[in-house]
């Protein structure tokens, strides 16, 4: 899902000389400024041996749907949610039509049933939109609901399929909406603003950047870049309300952005975009407490870098991180049942400003949405977790989210 000097997750600005909080579109000064590419090459970590995993059995060649998020109010942006198809064997992408009637869908999430996709409206008056998908490629926009905040930048569906969770970057708040049986959204049932602790140095205020349910299903975690805090909530699944049960403090000025859980459910990996680190966190499913460890290198070298998002392979063996600025992808080997990471290497992403990553459902392909080059690049994931670019970059206007469907 400015111009403050620091690049946000919304329309991004040129990198600052000193870290400062990224602004977002609309409420902090307009849309993405045309910026010169930070031309740092990929930085390579000291080579290390990766633990090989069994090669997946060859899957029958098929094509599967791919959805693309963009900004509709930006020059050169899209006109809605882009649709495409990808070849599960080769990774080749072919374009489709556009789902119109959806404003600024900068982040997308699929309902567990696979029949409905949800999009943020990342703008001053934040909103979330439901779109029903049909097997024949048809779609129906089911309507939008206001989130009660500004700059809605992330959303996720609770595993029960009954609640949509969203994060408002501009106002530093998180919201809950009920999901009807047909996938449509009801009126908001809760809105929680992060009023404490005080924002980090130069960060201006709270900036909720992500909200996601932990693998145990009992806790919801909200990552706030402005307060350098991850908040854990219990979700009342009858009333759709959030109650804070724990909070984890990150280093002042670190700017936590996005986290991804290990499938074992006791570790999570948190990208901190302001201090260019990846933090391994212990997670207690019984209490919802997240305990951050020290910040680790992103392998991005000495230049300015803003890590965007980590993803974890389905078997929990490897973690990948997108680095904006050096425009690279970092590969980590997962060790100690998820409790430790070992940096292996980096590879060029093949585009400019990799905003978001997604793995195919079987983790055989990695997709990168490159915002400033308006492309999606695709990588084959090897048995040792290595990344090999496949095909040419796929043109997608202001690509800020890519969602491969099962």
């Amino acid at each position: 899902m400015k111009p403050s000097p620091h690049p946000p997750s919304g329309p991004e600005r040129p990198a600052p000389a000193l870290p400062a909080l990224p602004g977002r579109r609309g409420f902090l000064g307009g849309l993405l400024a045309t910026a010169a590419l930070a031309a740092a090459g990929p930085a390579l970590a000291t080579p290390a041996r990766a633990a090989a995993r069994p090669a997946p059995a060859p899957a029958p060649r098929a094509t599967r749907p791919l959805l693309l998020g963009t900004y509709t109010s930006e020059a050169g942006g899209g006109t809605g949610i882009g649709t495409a198809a990808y070849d599960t064997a080769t990774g080749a992408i072919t374009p489709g039509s556009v789902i119109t009637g959806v404003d600024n869908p900068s982040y997308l999430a699929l309902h567990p049933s696979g029949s409905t996709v949800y999009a943020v409206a990342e703008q001053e008056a934040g909103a979330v939109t439901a779109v029903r998908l049909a097997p024949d490629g048809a779609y129906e926009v089911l309507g939008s609901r206001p989130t009660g905040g500004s700059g809605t930048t992330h959303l996720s569906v609770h595993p029960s399929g009954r609640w949509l969770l969203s994060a408002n970057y501009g106002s530093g708040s998180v919201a809950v909406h009920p999901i009807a049986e047909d996938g449509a959204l009801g009126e908001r049932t809760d809105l929680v603003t992060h009023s404490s602790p005080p924002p980090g140095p130069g960060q201006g205020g709270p900036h909720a950047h992500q909200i996601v349910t932990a693998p145990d299903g009992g806790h919801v975690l909200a990552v706030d870049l402005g307060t350098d805090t991850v908040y854990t909530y219990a979700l009342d699944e009858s009333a759709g309300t959030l109650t804070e049960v724990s909070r984890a403090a990150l280093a002042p000025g670190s700017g936590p952005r996005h986290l991804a859980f290990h499938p074992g459910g006791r570790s999570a990996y948190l990208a901190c975009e302001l201090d260019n680190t990846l933090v391994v966190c212990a997670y207690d499913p019984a209490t919802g407490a997240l305990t951050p460890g020290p910040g680790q290198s992103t392998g991005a070298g000495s230049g300015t870098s803003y890590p965007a998002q980590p993803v974890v392979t389905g078997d929990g063996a490897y973690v990948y991180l997108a680095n904006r600025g050096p425009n690279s992808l970092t590969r980590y080997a997962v060790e100690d049942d998820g409790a430790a990471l070992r940096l292996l290497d980096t590879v060029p992403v093949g585009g400019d400003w990799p905003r978001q990553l997604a793995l195919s459902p079987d983790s055989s392909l990695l997709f990168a949405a490159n915002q400033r080059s308006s492309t999606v690049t695709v990588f084959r994931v090897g048995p040792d977790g290595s990344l090999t670019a496949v095909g040419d970059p796929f043109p997608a206007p202001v690509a800020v989210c890519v969602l491969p469907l099962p």
Side-chain angles (χ1 to χ4, degrees):
M1 131 281 34
K2 318 179 200 115
S4 150
H6 180 76
S9 33
E12 325 276 2
R13 298 306 201 261
L18 293 175
L21 181 68
R24 300 293 298 191
R25 66 168 52 240
F27 50 86
L28 286 182
L31 303 176
L32 172 65
T34 302
L37 168 62
L44 295 180
T46 302
R49 181 186 297 273
R53 55 178 175 169
R61 184 165 178 171
T63 58
R64 299 300 306 151
L66 192 73
L67 300 180
L68 303 164
T70 185
Y71 289 110
T72 59
S73 61
E74 180 179 323
T79 56
I81 300 172
T83 72
Y86 71 95
D87 188 304
T88 58
T90 67
I93 301 175
T94 54
S97 60
V98 176
I99 300 174
T100 58
V102 185
D103 295 330
N104 295 312
S106 65
Y107 202 87
L108 310 171
L110 188 67
H111 191 276
S113 68
S115 61
T116 310
V117 67
Y118 300 93
V120 302
E122 189 177 333
Q123 53 201 20
E124 177 66 26
V128 285
T129 301
V131 180
R132 181 182 294 127
L133 306 174
D136 62 0
Y139 66 88
E140 178 186 2
V141 178
L142 300 177
S144 300
R145 298 285 187 178
T147 61
S150 61
T152 310
T153 187
H154 186 268
L155 80 176
S156 61
V157 183
H158 187 266
S160 67
R162 298 179 53 230
W163 304 101
L164 184 71
L165 312 166
S166 57
N168 298 307
Y169 182 93
S171 52
S173 58
V174 293
V176 184
H177 288 80
I179 299 176
E181 289 188 7
D182 66 354
L185 296 170
E187 291 291 344
R188 188 180 67 248
T189 54
D190 204 2
L191 179 69
V192 179
T193 299
H194 298 155
S195 57
S196 66
Q203 287 163 236
H207 293 288
H209 214 308
Q210 183 194 35
I211 184 166
V212 64
T213 305
D216 58 79
H219 297 98
V220 171
L221 284 79
V223 180
D224 196 297
L225 187 150
T227 63
D228 297 318
T229 301
V230 180
Y231 304 83
T232 299
Y233 297 98
L235 173 67
D236 185 324
E237 294 189 43
S238 298
T241 54
L242 298 170
T243 301
E244 184 180 331
V245 296
S246 181
R247 62 177 63 175
L250 280 298
S254 59
R257 178 185 174 96
H258 271 218
L259 65 75
F261 276 94
H262 185 271
R266 293 188 172 274
S267 300
Y269 314 108
L270 178 61
C272 293
E273 75 167 86
L274 295 185
D275 71 358
N276 186 27
T277 60
L278 185 68
V279 177
V280 179
C281 304
Y283 176 73
D284 184 349
T287 65
L290 191 75
T291 305
Q296 298 187 20
S297 172
T298 64
S302 59
T304 302
S305 178
Y306 301 101
Q309 181 194 15
V311 292
V312 188
T313 55
D315 61 5
Y318 295 94
V319 171
Y320 304 101
L321 179 68
N323 301 304
R324 295 166 299 168
N327 295 328
S328 63
L329 303 174
T330 305
R331 176 176 62 125
Y332 299 88
V334 177
E335 299 178 333
D336 195 16
D337 294 327
L341 295 180
R342 177 163 49 90
L343 193 154
L344 299 177
D345 56 19
T346 67
V347 299
V349 74
D352 186 0
W353 213 251
R355 163 75 172 270
Q356 185 258 351
L357 301 179
L359 287 158
S360 60
D362 63 358
S363 293
S364 66
L365 297 170
L366 177 73
F367 300 86
N370 303 300
Q371 179 172 353
R372 292 181 178 171
S373 58
S374 289
T375 57
V376 173
T377 45
V378 187
F379 298 81
R380 181 174 293 108
V381 180
D384 60 353
S386 59
L387 297 176
T388 303
V390 294
D392 296 323
F394 176 75
V398 189
V400 290
C401 184
V402 56
L403 178 63
L405 302 187

